[in-house]
Amino acid sequence: MKRILVTGGAGFIGANFVRYITAHTEVHVVVVDLLTYAGNPESLKGLPEERVELRIGDITDAKLVDELVSSVDAVVHFAAESHNDNSLHDPAPFVNTNVIGTFTLLEAVRRHDVRFHHISTDEVYGDLELDDPGRFTETTPYNPSSPYSSTKAASDLLVRAWVRSFGVRATLSNCSNNYGPYQHVEKFIPRQITSILNGERPKLYGAGTNVRDWIHVDDHSSAVWTILQHGAMGRTYLIGADGEQNNRDVLGSILESMGHERDAFDMVTDRPGHDLRYAIDASSLRNELGWRPQRQDFSEGLAQTIKWYRENRWWWGLLKTQTEERYSAQETTNARALAARGTEQ
Ligand code: NAD
Ligand code: DAU
């Protein structure tokens, strides 16, 4: 593999993946990214220009996608609308990018017989009860809850159908919650870190008992690179690093690491339809492909992430103001939606 196309390479995980393969391989990377509110070319700053090329464009643009796909050996598809809260307020871009965008890429890789890896999420499986000892596996039935996760589920099914019907050479991966540098400040961990850095109190949705299965973004990158090289065609691999924690504990650790009391936060209106718990069983990836996570020490990863946000205010300062304005507007709508459904807050 000499040249790959990375869609969404100016977003959080895409940019970290481009950094990972630039550091660990000789591969030439073409990034295609629309630079939506979530994309930032600065996230690729400092990478060698002769190795990494950024093309600004939309993955639903069939002509552009065809041209880009025809020039590479493989496509790694990260581009998406990725935030659940936004999908509850304006689902249209989620259907467009996540479903039509994936369809457009699949048609291009089919025409040019190019290897495809589809990045997806554990949210396609819905959620687990807090006291359920089980975890998601590759055979867990799809049961998505939000407009975001349902469009990701739709995109996964398109990929599976293109493999079966047209013989497209594709693999899929469904990963749990990522954290690390360059993550948009709308997401839980960076939102809380940057609020504390701004002297504001963090906001916890509901009671904070919801559980997420945290993985450092570098471990996601190494898993994707492993699958791209050694994955079996048509297979789905679950990516996770045994990092289950509830939101209250994660927020307590952030506050403590930053010199505050663990309970120095406000409880705010819950997210409508809020998934309770995600948990990944990544044994296929471990046993069949020999992948191992290297960044499982959450305290260490969190401390490095806090340090990164402390030192890179230039990257997030403006985004923070815009994001909190958006959240204020969304909170009023959420409260109305929950009241209309008679859901307790
Ligand atoms: P992100 O929102 O940070 O980045 C998405 C990127 O896609 C942005 O750079 C954006 O500009 C680009 N993009 C959006 N629409 C586009 C379009 N129409 N054409 C071209 N580019 C477009 O998202 P992320 O958190 O980095 O997630 C990346 C992928 O990983 C997504 O597919 C997401 O579903 C998946 N995923 C995320 C997580 C997580 O914890 N963040 C976990 C599992 C899977
Ligand atoms: O599981 C994988 C998914 O993880 C990815 O597919 C998504 O793209 C990614 O955004 C993430 O989804 P979540 O909804 O789990 O992530 P988020 O960071 O939005 O929220 C994490 C948890 O924290 C969730 O239970 C909601 C809660 N939360 C979030 C925010 C922004 C809060 O309590 N307060 C907040 O301010």
Side-chain angles (χ1 to χ4, degrees), residues 82-85 121-123 148 175-177 186-188 191-192 203-205 210 212 214 247 271 274 278 327:
S82 68
H83 195 39
N84 277 299
D85 289 324
T121 168
D122 56 1
E123 294 192 16
Y148 161 67
C175 188
S176 59
N177 286 64
E186 69 192 355
K187 304 294 191 327
F188 181 58
R191 185 182 189 200
Q192 313 305 12
K203 292 183 164 67
L204 190 68
Y205 293 170
N210 307 64
R212 297 294 182 264
W214 294 100
N247 294 339
R271 173 186 283 173
H274 197 170
Y278 306 139
Y327 268 125

Side-chain angles (χ1 to χ4, degrees), residues 68-188:
L68 294 172
V69 167
S70 70
S71 74
V72 295
D73 307 307
V75 176
V76 187
H77 175 35
F78 292 92
E81 285 291 335
S82 68
H83 195 39
N84 277 299
D85 289 324
N86 292 344
S87 80
L88 297 167
H89 295 271
D90 185 12
F94 289 77
V95 176
N96 191 46
T97 290
N98 301 358
V99 183
I100 307 297
T102 302
F103 160 74
T104 308
L105 286 156
L106 283 169
E107 284 293 82
V109 294
R110 170 157 85 109
R111 268 192 301 274
H112 298 285
D113 188 24
V114 167
R115 169 90 170 81
F116 187 72
H117 181 71
H118 180 63
I119 303 292
S120 193
T121 168
D122 56 1
E123 294 192 16
V124 299
Y125 301 113
D127 61 353
L128 299 160
E129 293 298 327
L130 294 179
D131 59 359
D132 184 342
R135 299 191 287 173
F136 298 137
T137 69
E138 282 85 354
T139 56
T140 303
Y142 275 38
N143 187 26
S145 316
S146 73
Y148 161 67
S149 51
S150 60
T151 57
K152 291 298 293 188
S155 68
D156 291 10
L157 298 183
L158 291 179
V159 179
R160 290 180 181 193
W162 261 241
V163 170
R164 168 115 186 215
S165 303
F166 306 122
V168 160
R169 292 181 294 126
T171 41
L172 303 90
S173 56
N174 297 72
C175 188
S176 59
N177 286 64
N178 286 221
Y179 76 101
Y182 302 102
Q183 186 167 28
H184 195 284
V185 295
E186 69 192 355
K187 304 294 191 327
F188 181 58

Side-chain angles (χ1 to χ4, degrees), residues 219-238:
D219 281 337
H220 190 177
S221 293
S222 69
V224 169
W225 182 237
T226 301
I227 297 166
L228 201 57
Q229 290 177 102
H230 307 295
M233 286 313 115
R235 275 290 304 271
T236 291
Y237 297 92
L238 260 55

